[in-house]
Amino acid sequence: MANRNELIIWDIDLYGTPKDFDDALAMADTLSEQSTNNVSLNLKKFARKLSKVAQKAKQDDDFWQGYENIEQDIATLSYAAFILEMPNRGWESILKEAVALANKLNLAIVYEEAIMAFLPDDQILPTENLPYWQAIKKSLKTRAKNTFPKTLKQFKALMEPKFDLLLAKYGFVGGLEMPERKGIYSAYSRKLGDIDQYIEVIYRLEDVYD
């Protein structure tokens, strides 16, 4: 089983509890390819609740975008385990929410990329990785207190007034709509004699992992 940046989730009541991390990997591999006609009710509840979390969270953290459709993905699931793809950025937040829900619904989660499996009653496999998981949760708490913008729209709201003030000193007027420009931007123009001058500020997020 090659390392994959995804969570593999199954219902312990239906398919059992792994004894150790190697057993968890083996079960995840098997169940993710094992066909079934009856998807676990707890998996459906998991998807519904995580979809609601994503719907709200994506307003502040854009890496949640797309996760609000998980409930639809579960509806067409034909395997014993559900595979949830993880993003390169923000995976810690999604993992925290997924683990919290899985604990309540008696689900197992295997995250091979992070070398961790999560079981009900806050159990972690292998047990020596518990400090790593605790450090992740502590980091998320610290990050939650950070008021710096988390989305491009929030960053624009922070920076645009500063650009407005700076460029107004040189006769530029903001609020310009650029018909061919897509995405999030601020655009300014001024007339200098017979010449029209334009300045565009483009807000773009670049993933360092890509």
Side-chain angles (χ1 to χ4, degrees), residues 10 30 37 39 51 57 59 79-80 82 87 105 133 138 146 151 155 162 173 177 198:
W10 71 87
T30 298
N37 294 322
V39 177
S51 293
Q59 306 302 321
Y79 295 98
F82 177 56
L105 295 169
W133 176 233
K138 183 178 179 180
N146 192 337
T151 68
F155 188 68
K162 303 180 190 302
V173 177
E177 295 290 334
Y198 300 91

Side-chain angles (χ1 to χ4, degrees), residues 129-177:
N129 278 354
L130 178 58
Y132 173 45
W133 176 233
Q134 291 173 332
I136 289 175
K137 292 192 291 184
K138 183 178 179 180
S139 174
L140 287 172
K141 284 185 179 180
T142 302
R143 194 180 307 172
K145 299 176 183 178
N146 192 337
T147 59
F148 192 78
K150 298 177 181 178
T151 68
L152 292 179
K153 287 183 179 179
Q154 291 173 354
F155 188 68
K156 177 182 177 180
L158 172 68
M159 297 304 299
E160 191 171 59
K162 303 180 190 302
F163 292 131
D164 290 348
L165 186 62
L166 174 65
L167 293 173
K169 296 179 180 179
Y170 302 96
F172 283 92
V173 177
L176 191 64
E177 295 290 334

Side-chain angles (χ1 to χ4, degrees), residues 46-72 94 97 101 151:
F46 171 87
R48 183 171 66 252
K49 292 177 181 293
L50 193 61
S51 293
K52 289 181 179 179
V53 170
Q55 186 67 40
K56 182 179 179 180
K58 71 176 184 179
Q59 306 302 321
D60 293 320
D61 292 304
D62 51 13
F63 53 76
W64 278 99
Q65 192 75 35
Y67 286 88
E68 70 274 20
N69 300 320
I70 293 170
E71 189 173 6
Q72 299 171 25
I94 295 172
E97 295 293 341
L101 288 174
T151 68

